[in-house]
Each structure stands twice: as C-alpha cells, then as structure tokens.
C-alpha cells in the first residue's frame, strides 16, 4: 500500500500466526472483498482514519477464476432456489457449518484485536455474532447497542466511540460480506438503529456526529459513510516494483470483489439511510464500465473491476434505475459522461456492459458477468433505454 505524502495510515494490529492459519483454513469460500479505485475514482484525497480498520487481512486460499463462466448467484448464495434442490439439504447443512465456522473465526480475530480495549467493544462483538448467526432480533440488538453506547455518547459525542462500532462492522463486512444472509441481517440491524429515539447530550440536545460530521445518533448513522469508505471499500493496489510504480493487485485484493460490493449493493437496495453507496456504485461503473479494454494491460485489469460493477447492477439494478430516472446528483459538465445518475448514463452503462460481454481476450467469466449485467438492465428498463 502506498504511503502518500501527508497521509496518515492506520496501524493495523498484528495477528498471531496460529490465528491467521485458522482463518486461512476456514475461509476458503469466504473471500475478502474490497473495491478497487483507479485513477478515475471518485474517492477524494484525504486522511485515512485511525483505529477503525480492526480485522486481520486473511489471504484466501484461492481467488475467483474469471477464465470460467461467472455466476454471482452461485458464488454468494443470493439464489434462494438453490437451497431447496434435491441435494440441497445436505449442502445447506454443510454451508451452515461453514458459515458458523467463518463467523467464529471473525469473532476470535476481532476479540484478539480488542483484547486490550474496553468491555463495550467485546459486548458489541457478541451482539454482532448473534445477529450474523440469526439468533437475535434486529430491534433487540439495536436496543442492546444503544444501551452500550448511549451513555458514552452523552458524555463525549464529539469524539464518538461509535466510530469503533462502525469499524467493527466494516471489518465484518470485509470478511463475511459475500454471504447475503449475513448482509441482510446486518442491514436490518442498521435500519433498526435508525428507528431508535435520538440520543441527547447532557444539555438535552440531540447528539450529533461531531468534528464536522453531519447527522444525529442514531437516525442518521453519523460517520458510518466515511468509515465504510476508508475501512471497507477503499483498497489500494500493492506497490509495483516497475518504474512506473502503478501497482498491481494481489489475489486477496481481487477477491474483495464480492464481499464489500455485495453488502454495498444490498444496502443501496434496502438501507433506510444514505451512507454513500450510490457514490461507490458510480465509482465502480466509472472504473469498470466506462474504461476501454483495448490494450493487454486494460484487458488484464478487467477481471478486477468489471465483476464488482456488474454486481451493483445484479443486486441493486432497480434502485440504480430509479436514481437514473430521478437524475440523482446529476452534473452534466463533469467528465466524459457527466457525473451522477441519468437515463443517458444508464444507457451508456448498459451499452458498455454489452460491449464488454462481446470483447475477446477478457476471459469467459468477465464476459459472462458483463452479459448478465446487460440482461439485467434490459429486464429492469424493459429494453426501452
């Protein structure tokens, strides 16, 4: 990761070799996904937040093979119908065991990272584990979180302890986000938090985010958007040894395509508050769809950036089309295609997905998921755009 001048990078806590080995052994089918920002990314320059990226960086034993046909639904278990096939009961039981093991490994790593911190963070991990395993009601879990953090917010909401809560959640998404059942439970929890009464400070005023952060706890989920951007979806390529120093992507970074992006797309479709997912979706389209794939280097890059762009469409296509119909955050004079959402830009993205699907040299998997995205967009707009 590049150390940019004037940029502060968080010091990630170390993980013991034994914990890392256990993590590697149990996360074979739970890839870590973060989203790649190229030089056309919408990510503004700024400081990386301290003490919010708490999870280890486990390296998956295998990365997605984009030379083979790509089926998003099969990979991240989005299709509920696959759970009830004739062989489904045994496979579903095996998946349940693997999911519980993966959750427990994340719990163990999170506890290790917080072993020298306050008990409220350990309690937060317990609450999230119960949610992820489907053993807790979102409203009840939201109330438990409020019980932990409300007294802290009343005392010092300018330097919010909730930032650690957001960091724990973001790290969980990085590790477990390809599992849509876990994503849905987490989204339900966040939605339940937004429905709680406002937290008030010692003067009876709503406790806002503080330090220039807009919003009130809990209804606006203050600062979650910033921490999600910095701690979950923002991944830099490894520094290259080549003279141009452009960097390259490791297998671990490539496999960040489904975790964070899948969660982000589900939240865009179902979340009650805006926490910047429309921003990340547009960034993904700019990086993965609006770029050309003419040179060998561009074609090699396609396996990193096309699948996450398609994932936004396959999961949140209806919501993205709604944003386009409403010209959401549209600015015509910025960039080749403007910025924000519009029906014209929707048409460009759909056409580009179709073109990518027919481009030779990208790999069957890349072409296949691009074709799925184009077909999804045709289905959403009725083929009229």
């Amino acid at each position: 990761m590049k150390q940019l001048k004037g940029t502060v990078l968080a010091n990630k806590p170390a993980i013991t070799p034994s914990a890392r080995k256990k993590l590697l052994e149990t996360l074979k089918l739970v890839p870590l996904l973060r989203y790649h920002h190229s030089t056309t990314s919408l990510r503004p320059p700024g400081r990386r937040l301290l003490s919010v990226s708490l999870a280890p960086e486990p390296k998956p034993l295998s990365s997605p093979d984009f030379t083979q046909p790509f089926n998003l639904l099969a990979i991240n278990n989005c299709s509920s119908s696959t759970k009830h096939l004739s062989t489904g009961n045994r496979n579903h039981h095996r998946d349940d065991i693997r999911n519980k093991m993966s959750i427990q490994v994340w719990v163990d790593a999170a506890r290790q990272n917080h072993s020298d911190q306050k008990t409220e963070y350990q309690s937060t991990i317990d609450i999230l584990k119960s949610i992820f395993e489907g053993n807790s009601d979102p409203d009840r879990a939201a109330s438990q979180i409020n019980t932990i953090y409300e007294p802290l917010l009343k005392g010092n909401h300018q330097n919010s302890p909730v930032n650690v809560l957001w960091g724990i959640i973001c790290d969980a998404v990085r590790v477990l986000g390809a599992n849509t059942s876990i994503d849905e439970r987490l989204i339900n929890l966040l939605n339940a938090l937004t429905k709680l009464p406002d937290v008030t400070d010692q003067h009876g005023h709503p406790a806002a985010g503080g330090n220039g952060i807009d919003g009130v706890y809990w209804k606006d989920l203050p600062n979650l958007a910033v921490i999600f951007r910095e701690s979950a979806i923002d991944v830099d390529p490894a520094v290259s040894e080549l003279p141009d120093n452009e960097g390259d992507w490791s297998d671990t970074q490539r496999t960040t395509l489904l975790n964070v992006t899948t969660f982000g797309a589900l939240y865009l479709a179902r979340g009650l508050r805006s926490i910047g997912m429309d921003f990340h979706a547009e960034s993904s389209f700019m990086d993965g769809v609006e770029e050309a794939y003419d040179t060998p280097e561009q074609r090699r890059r396609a396996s990193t950036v096309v699948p996450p762009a398609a994932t936004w469409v396959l999961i949140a296509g209806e919501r993205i089309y709604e944003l386009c119909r409403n010209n959401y955050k549209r600015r015509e004079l910025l960039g080749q295609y403007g910025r924000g959402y519009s029906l014209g830009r929707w048409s460009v993205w759909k056409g580009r997905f179709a073109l990518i699907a027919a481009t030779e040299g990208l790999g069957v998997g890349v072409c296949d998921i691009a074709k799925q995205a184009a077909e999804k967009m045709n289905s959403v707009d009725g083929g009229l755009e």
Side-chain angles (χ1 to χ4, degrees), residues 122-382:
Q122 299 294 333
S123 298
T124 298
I125 295 167
D126 289 334
I127 294 169
L128 291 176
K129 177 188 178 184
S130 183
I131 280 287
F132 295 158
E133 292 179 341
N135 296 328
S136 180
D137 175 81
D139 293 331
R140 179 172 178 268
S143 178
Q144 291 173 325
I145 288 175
N146 183 62
T147 299
I148 294 172
Y149 288 94
E150 182 177 21
L152 303 176
L153 287 169
K154 286 180 177 295
N156 183 15
H157 63 86
Q158 294 297 316
N159 186 19
S160 175
V162 175
N163 288 346
V164 177
L165 166 65
W166 299 151
I168 294 172
I169 286 174
C170 288
D171 287 333
V173 168
R174 286 170 47 197
V175 176
L176 304 170
N179 186 310
T180 55
S181 295
I182 292 176
D183 290 340
E184 289 169 354
R185 292 164 187 161
L186 179 54
I187 291 167
N188 289 339
L189 170 61
L190 293 173
N191 287 342
L193 280 172
T194 67
K195 298 175 183 178
L196 292 175
D198 292 345
V199 177
T200 57
D201 60 21
Q202 60 268 35
H203 304 294
H205 301 136
N211 295 325
I213 301 299
D214 293 331
V216 172
Y217 294 101
W218 292 96
K219 65 181 179 183
D220 298 315
L221 305 178
N223 220 26
L224 176 55
V226 174
I227 293 179
F228 183 85
R229 185 188 71 207
E230 296 287 348
S231 297
I233 208 166
D234 178 21
V235 174
D236 295 322
V239 175
S240 174
E241 299 298 329
L242 299 176
D244 61 11
N245 201 35
E246 284 296 323
D248 203 353
W249 294 91
S250 69
D251 289 343
T252 298
Q253 289 166 320
R254 284 194 176 92
T255 58
T256 64
L257 295 171
L258 291 181
N259 282 26
V260 175
T261 302
T262 298
F263 171 82
L266 278 169
Y267 189 90
L268 180 61
R270 304 179 186 180
L272 296 182
R273 291 291 182 272
S274 175
I275 57 173
M277 296 310 178
D278 59 279
F279 171 95
H280 300 306
E282 185 188 2
S283 294
S284 187
F285 295 141
M286 292 178 71
D287 284 353
V289 182
E290 295 181 2
E291 293 291 304
Y293 294 106
D294 300 327
T295 68
E297 173 60 28
Q298 289 171 334
R299 289 192 289 271
R300 185 175 68 87
R301 182 173 170 271
S303 65
T304 300
V305 295
V306 172
T311 299
W312 287 101
V313 169
L314 293 172
I315 294 178
E318 290 80 3
R319 174 59 177 156
I320 292 168
Y321 185 56
E322 179 184 359
L323 295 176
C324 288
R325 291 182 62 188
N326 292 330
N327 289 316
Y328 184 70
K329 294 184 179 179
R330 182 62 176 162
R331 288 171 288 175
E332 295 284 354
L333 301 180
L334 295 176
Q336 181 179 0
Y337 302 106
R339 291 280 287 275
Y341 292 83
S342 69
L343 290 178
R345 212 165 181 204
W346 170 273
S347 181
V348 168
W349 294 333
K350 185 171 70 169
R352 287 291 300 163
F353 274 123
L355 182 62
I356 291 168
T359 299
E360 295 182 358
L362 297 184
V364 177
V366 172
C367 293
D368 185 58
I369 195 170
K371 180 181 178 182
Q372 290 183 44
E375 291 174 346
K376 170 74 175 194
M377 296 177 83
N378 267 324
S379 174
V380 170
D381 66 23

